[in-house]
Amino acid sequence: MKNFLPFTLLLMFALCPGASFSQSQKGEVKGVLTDAETNEALPYATVAVYTAHDTAMVTFRMSDEKGVFRVPGLPVGQGLRAVITMMSFQVYRKEFMLSAEQPALDLGEVKLEPSSELLNEVLIVAETPPVLVRNDTLEFNAASFKTLPTALVEDLLKKLPGVSVDAAGNISVNGKAVHKILVDGKEFFGSDPKIASRNLPADVIEKVQVMNDPEVVRRDPHLPESEIPQVVNLTFKKGIKKGMFGKVYGGFGTDNRYEGGGLINAFRDTTQVSLLGYSNNLNRPGFGMGDMRKIGGFDRSGLNSIMMSDRGYELNGVSFGGTGEGVEQSSGGGVNFNTVTKNGIKLNLQYFYGGINGEVNQLIDTRQSLARDTLTTRRSRDQRSRSHKHQIGGKLDWKIDSLTDFSFRPSIMLGQNTIKQEENANTYRNANRLVNESDNNQRSEEGTDSFSGTYSLNRLFSKKGRVFNLFGNYEYNTVLQDRYNLALNRFFEPHPETSQLNQLRDESRDNLGIRNNISFTEPLVENLSAVIRLNSQYFRDENAIGTYAYAPESNEYDRRVDDLSTSFDRKGWRNYVTTGIQWKKGKLTVQPGVEFASLNIESDFRERKPIDQDYFYVFPSLRVRWQDLNLSYSASLREPGAMDLQPVVDNTNPLFIRYGNPALVPTVTHSVNLNLYKYDLNRALNYNLHAYTSINQNDITRERTIEPNGVQVTRPVNTDGNWYASGSARISKDFKYELGRQFSLGASAGGSFRKTLIILNEVQSYGQMRNFWPSVNAGFNLHDKIEFSQSLRLNFSQSRYEQDAFENYNTVSRTSTTYLVLRVPKRVVWEAHFEHWHTSDAVPGLRDSYGRLTAAVTFLFLKDDRAQLKLSVYDLLDQNLSASRSIRENMVEDVQTTVLNRYGMVTFIYNIRNFGGKVGSTGRNTLFRF
């Protein structure tokens, strides 16, 4: 496999010889666009070139900020027509023919005449511009970008300039993420783009519009441009207003592997109903996260939390499979209802259930450098778990009038979790002297209930620039946990000793948080506005721990251990008042400000007197924007967590004892953020730059002590001098030629530096953790018949210490991914996906490299290829596992987890795409249309 990357890259260029020399056989047209009345340059006008005989589009470009345009890659010896379009200007047409002797045509200065007519009134349908700029909206004409008859919206988006779609379906435009897809201007499918992009057929779309999210802008009108998420609006062709889409699937495989599920979204005008259900034991969700957010309706009810892993995801605390370690069986189902009332109020109701049975087998190797020796701990962990979660949610969006809108999103989550775990650990000094060994059996039963929601009120005024915003949320969580421990520990240094732990730790946690954020902007004079923000937050944390020892005579855990039991109650207010001004001059925006922050906390402990903490801070703030470059400085305040304040020991792991510290004070973080997002329309070049640094005052550091018998004791303390810096840069270019050829190249690099104080056995030393990760990727698409992508990522990690007491560490990891799709012959799709991981200096007993090859062939049949029969083999090489390495403090840790290995699957998939057509003699829409 070492030569796999060079071979695949060689294959790419061998299959695409035209990519290297076609430009020498092509011509170009260029010029400068100006306003005929004012002589000012006209930026972002569309220059499209069509064949003269059939008006088929060859290619197009857009003028830059100085009005300059250049359209390369044009055929010679063929009649062509250039059509230049821009809103509020008359259309310019020019027919021409390039030759081998004169392959370039310079139109010089092209003056466009102003026009009061709408653009679509003066253009024939065949010459509708492929791209149009309407104020702050970028509009693509779908008919200008050819796709296969079976293509989905995702395939259409991949062909649009400046738009990229990664393997997971995440969409970005000019380097900025798209987080919402609208249909005819409405949140018809929620706010995650994936389900619409991967389910809607491309041939029902007339236009694709891209814009800043207006809701986010209303909520925070001073948000930097680079931080405003993008919205895609899909305009349906006439007549596409009702129907259904979705899919049903089922499959079985070797080793009792199975998968099955169905997801149906039926809509009529402004009403939508979604049903879904799934179950599998393949370590993955039943549907993609986009499916659940879009069709499933999580975005319509509000997303309070998202957790993602390399295999699965969790929304609002409900896992849909693939989120945990090891091997999982997941099942779930739900219903969603979405409608718009006659007075324009958007309503949503939903219910979801997610259940997971997990099995984890792990080997963990941790090496710590000490003053005179090395401590190595080798652990094995076997865990079985069961999780059940129910989520009920809704949403109400009300546009009260043309200037005022209100939104409310409540959510309820009920969950239960049971874990049984057996952990065996051996600790060695200098790799050969056994210090201790432990057998720890745990059983945990936990119930979690959560009630949360968000609300917002946005008000514009007749006076331009005057804006009022209110945004708030509330959350109440209650957790009841019983944890049983039966541990046998043997110590061999400094003298032989045996101890046993048999206890129940009963913990109850209640957390309440309410936050309101009010902002008001008032224009003072031209280009100058005053800004004031008030952020008020109330919080309350109640935590009670009861520890009970096992009583053999009663066979119950009824002996309360007071030294390991406690109760803790904390409540308080955080208040922030920010005042500032905003000054705009051309492309420069400067917003300085001052933030006044107060923090008032009342803490009540069972073991000691209550503690009242009152803090007041004054922080400066600054935001500067110049064109696409954004710079900001801010300060934030973070109080210690309730678990860090508990004055009672946590001994559930007898080899790792944790104490709290009631004397902790809040952490103040000063941060600077710099970013640049840029897309060059003429060159189809996308590049971005990001840099971040933060300095912490009174940061929380884990003070550790390692006893002679190998037991580690930790206690949080406040320290200074900790800081962090990171940066990244990426550049990518799309080559989208005529005749269905697309190529893409990209490269990126990033790095981070963390300086943190390490306190170990009363020795203090600042450690420096450095990481650097370069990566490259390439891909091509030939007529949608061949798709290929290749990526390579390296990661260099090292640690350096000021004291000689700790040993420096270095590690290098490499990850490569290859993906190949062949759609030949017709209605047959071949796929291969290969991933390879390698880590340097693996410890004995753990593998340093492994690969995973998955291959499949899919047969398409029935009308419009709605049905699919897929034959697949997972982990064809039978060497899959999960391994990772991390460096922190004075240690390096390797984790190896058992995962699914080779199996074969046969899966049948039926895609439902029914948009308003009559089926059968009754004209009713049916589920299956054979």
Side-chain angles (χ1 to χ4, degrees), residues 31-191:
V32 180
L33 300 179
T34 59
D35 187 327
E37 291 187 354
T38 65
N39 288 323
E40 294 181 352
L42 296 179
Y44 311 121
T46 303
V47 183
V49 178
Y50 302 85
T51 56
H53 68 282
D54 60 3
T55 63
M57 191 181 70
V58 178
T59 187
F60 74 95
R61 291 293 188 272
M62 299 188 75
S63 59
D64 63 16
E65 294 179 351
K66 297 180 180 180
V68 177
F69 67 89
R70 175 178 171 268
V71 185
L74 302 179
V76 298
Q78 183 177 355
L80 302 173
R81 179 186 299 140
V83 180
I84 302 177
T85 52
M86 187 172 183
M87 290 296 297
S88 302
F89 287 87
Q90 295 181 15
V91 179
Y92 172 88
R93 293 181 177 87
K94 174 71 174 180
E95 294 198 4
F96 62 97
M97 180 182 294
L98 303 175
S99 64
E101 294 77 17
Q102 293 183 334
L105 173 63
D106 189 349
L107 297 179
E109 184 179 3
V110 179
K111 295 181 178 293
L112 298 186
E113 297 288 343
S115 172
S116 60
E117 295 179 300
L118 295 177
L119 191 61
N120 56 5
E121 292 179 346
V122 296
L123 275 176
I124 62 174
V125 175
E127 288 183 349
T128 301
V131 181
L132 202 60
V133 179
R134 298 178 183 267
N135 297 325
D136 296 329
T137 300
L138 194 63
E139 181 177 288
F140 299 95
N141 175 33
S144 299
F145 304 91
K146 303 301 182 182
T147 57
L148 293 175
T150 58
L152 303 176
V153 167
E154 180 176 276
D155 303 304
L156 171 62
L157 294 175
K158 290 179 180 179
K159 295 181 178 295
L160 305 182
V163 179
S164 63
V165 184
D166 64 19
N170 300 306
I171 304 168
S172 62
V173 180
N174 300 341
K176 295 194 289 186
V178 171
H179 81 145
K180 186 184 298 184
I181 279 189
L182 309 178
V183 173
D184 290 333
K186 302 172 183 177
E187 281 191 39
F188 208 68
F189 303 105
S191 59

Side-chain angles (χ1 to χ4, degrees), residues 615-894:
Y615 303 93
F616 181 78
Y617 303 88
V618 179
F619 301 127
S621 66
L622 177 66
R623 287 180 177 176
V624 179
R625 179 189 175 195
W626 182 71
Q627 292 186 342
D628 299 297
L629 185 66
N630 292 274
L631 173 68
S632 65
Y633 161 78
S634 62
S636 60
L637 190 64
R638 184 179 72 253
E639 73 276 3
M643 298 298 293
D644 287 334
L645 293 172
Q646 299 259 46
V648 67
V649 65
D650 181 354
N651 69 334
T652 53
N653 184 346
L655 300 184
F656 196 88
I657 307 298
R658 294 179 294 179
Y659 283 89
N661 181 5
L664 291 174
V665 299
T667 300
V668 178
T669 301
H670 301 269
S671 59
V672 177
N673 205 330
L674 174 70
N675 54 61
L676 169 69
Y677 294 94
K678 183 68 175 179
Y679 181 73
D680 190 321
L681 289 167
N682 273 330
R683 298 182 177 88
L685 187 66
N686 194 357
Y687 54 92
N688 58 71
L689 174 69
H690 177 75
Y692 172 82
T693 185
S694 64
I695 300 175
N696 293 330
Q697 295 175 286
N698 292 318
D699 201 5
I700 295 180
T701 299
R702 304 291 168 180
E703 179 185 61
R704 292 189 296 130
T705 301
I706 300 180
E707 306 288 349
N709 60 1
V711 174
Q712 301 192 44
V713 180
T714 71
R715 180 174 175 268
V717 295
N718 288 117
T719 62
D720 290 326
N722 301 325
W723 64 283
Y724 173 80
S726 66
S728 63
R730 175 169 178 78
I731 184 170
S732 62
K733 182 172 176 59
D734 294 330
F735 303 85
K736 298 184 179 181
Y737 301 103
E738 74 279 11
L739 305 177
R741 293 182 300 159
Q742 298 184 54
F743 306 87
S744 63
L745 295 172
S748 65
S752 66
F753 177 88
R754 183 184 299 276
K755 182 181 179 182
T756 182
L757 183 64
I758 300 172
I759 307 176
L760 179 61
N761 293 338
E762 299 183 350
V763 174
Q764 297 189 13
S765 175
Y766 281 100
Q768 299 178 4
M769 310 302 165
R770 307 169 185 170
N771 288 277
F772 176 63
W773 53 87
S775 67
V776 294
N777 63 276
F780 67 84
N781 182 323
L782 297 181
H783 313 284
D784 286 323
K785 300 296 183 183
I786 303 176
E787 289 186 48
F788 174 85
S789 65
Q790 176 70 61
S791 66
L792 174 65
R793 177 187 172 100
L794 303 176
N795 187 48
F796 302 88
S797 301
Q798 62 176 216
S799 61
R800 297 292 183 266
Y801 305 95
E802 294 181 353
Q803 299 280 352
D804 294 334
F806 306 128
E807 178 185 355
N808 296 330
Y809 289 115
N810 295 283
T811 184
V812 180
S813 62
R814 181 180 70 244
T815 304
S816 65
T817 303
T818 307
Y819 188 58
L820 178 65
V821 178
L822 300 176
R823 296 185 177 92
V824 289
K826 188 177 181 180
R827 293 193 165 187
V828 178
V829 181
W830 306 84
E831 298 175 80
H833 187 213
F834 179 69
E835 297 173 278
H836 188 264
W837 297 267
H838 175 79
T839 301
S840 63
D841 305 321
V843 299
L846 299 182
R847 294 196 9 213
D848 61 356
S849 63
Y850 58 99
R852 181 172 64 223
L853 175 62
T854 299
V857 57
T858 302
F859 301 93
L860 311 177
F861 55 100
L862 299 184
K863 184 179 180 180
D864 296 330
D865 296 337
R866 286 194 179 94
Q868 304 174 14
L869 183 64
K870 185 173 185 177
L871 310 177
S872 58
V873 180
Y874 178 85
D875 190 20
L876 192 62
L877 304 178
D878 199 23
Q879 58 176 244
N880 184 38
L881 54 81
S882 174
S884 63
R885 168 173 290 186
S886 61
I887 297 177
R888 64 182 187 278
E889 296 182 317
N890 66 317
M891 66 184 71
V892 57
E893 185 172 82
D894 291 274

